[in-house]
Amino acid sequence: MSGLIWGLIWLGGCAAPGSVSGTVTDARTGAAVTGLEVRWAAPEARAECRVRAATTDASGGYVAPDLCGGVRYRLELADGDWWAGGDPVEVSVDKEGARKDLSLWRIPAVGGLYLLDGTQLQALRTQSAIDRLPIPAGGEARFPLEIPNALPILSGERVVLLVGAEAQALALEPLIAAEARTLGTALQPQPVGPWAYLGLRFDGEAAEPVAAPVAPASLPEIGGGGRTARVLKAGDLPAGRYGFVTAGERRVAMVEVGE
């Protein structure tokens, strides 16, 4: 699994067994990380010394028992979307055991847009192609071809993570609800909705550009060492719908900011 940090160094044979214990917290929020499998590995050691695993409890605590004394272990994480920082985390075990508290970042290894609710992570999959139409005042209006009936709600402690340089370079634009449209004929009308324009308030005659109050590049950055993310919180934007627009303005991913 991508994101695993493998142990590489064996410093000796198995002496008196020991253990590693500690707590695991979210580096961004300070909250305990529960239900995470933490492994200490020394693959070049004898078979009985190679890997020990433990799962964090309700307070973020863990105990990895029966590690071999005199062996240097290196941390690996079963969930590659948790990240321990730029440098490998290592620990030496003796008969008294060792303590290693871990502060981990919840930053996916694959770049993109993610909705993070506590420690639950999911990709933001509300993408649509962008279409255009000319407007009487000149120029054109851009709009998503499809808008899901229910967009992900950004409220409370939920945040959007913009992971990697490509995601952090996206433009953020408000989705402005438009007047109802009807296609087809008078005998067979076909209402179209929901309907919204990107960064434009347009009533059919007058057009007024509307900008989002923040830009992704101005959002706080977390992480480092080759894995970074910018964090968009509900409080960063007024309530409404917004779109993350690609540089070529071909696609948009949408989210709704709640009260």
Side-chain angles (χ1 to χ4, degrees):
M1 177 183 294
S2 62
L4 297 182
I5 307 174
W6 296 102
L8 298 175
I9 305 173
W10 174 44
L11 299 184
C14 290
S19 64
V20 177
S21 62
T23 59
V24 182
T25 55
D26 187 322
R28 187 180 67 86
T29 66
V33 176
T34 64
L36 177 66
E37 185 178 306
V38 177
R39 301 172 184 163
W40 294 98
E44 295 185 10
R46 286 161 47 185
E48 63 268 29
C49 298
R50 287 179 183 167
V51 180
R52 292 294 181 269
T55 300
T56 57
D57 60 22
S59 62
Y62 75 94
V63 178
D66 301 325
L67 277 74
C68 293
V71 173
R72 192 168 184 84
Y73 286 84
R74 185 172 289 186
L75 172 70
E76 63 177 38
L77 299 170
D79 183 343
D81 289 335
W82 282 105
W83 183 62
D87 297 321
V89 178
E90 298 179 336
V91 63
S92 294
V93 178
D94 57 29
K95 64 180 180 179
E96 302 299 328
R99 181 171 183 86
K100 197 70 174 180
D101 295 323
L102 304 170
S103 182
L104 307 179
W105 297 99
R106 189 66 160 147
I107 302 178
V110 178
L113 295 171
Y114 296 85
L115 188 67
L116 180 61
D117 189 355
T119 60
Q120 299 303 306
L121 188 70
Q122 62 180 9
L124 195 60
R125 301 188 182 280
T126 53
Q127 295 193 23
S128 169
I130 294 175
D131 206 348
R132 293 163 171 77
L133 57 81
I135 55 179
E140 60 184 12
R142 297 165 302 135
F143 56 93
L145 278 175
E146 299 180 60
I147 300 178
N149 290 328
L151 291 178
I153 303 294
L154 186 60
S155 63
E157 298 303 314
R158 284 184 174 183
V159 300
V160 171
L161 292 184
L162 293 83
V163 181
E166 186 174 341
Q168 293 171 28
L170 295 174
L172 180 63
E173 300 190 38
L175 275 171
I176 308 298
E179 60 186 11
R181 293 190 52 155
T182 302
L183 303 179
T185 66
L187 293 177
Q188 292 183 315
Q190 296 180 343
V192 176
W195 195 263
Y197 297 105
L198 281 162
L200 190 70
R201 185 172 287 110
F202 175 56
D203 63 8
E205 296 180 1
E208 176 189 2
V210 180
V214 298
S218 69
L219 296 171
E221 187 177 80
I222 60 172
R227 193 187 293 193
T228 62
R230 293 193 181 272
V231 182
L232 177 69
K233 306 184 299 297
D236 293 330
L237 295 168
R241 292 182 165 189
Y242 296 85
F244 296 93
V245 181
T246 60
E249 296 188 339
R250 295 178 180 175
R251 299 194 66 80
V252 57
M254 293 160 282
V255 67
E256 183 166 350
V257 176
E259 296 288 352

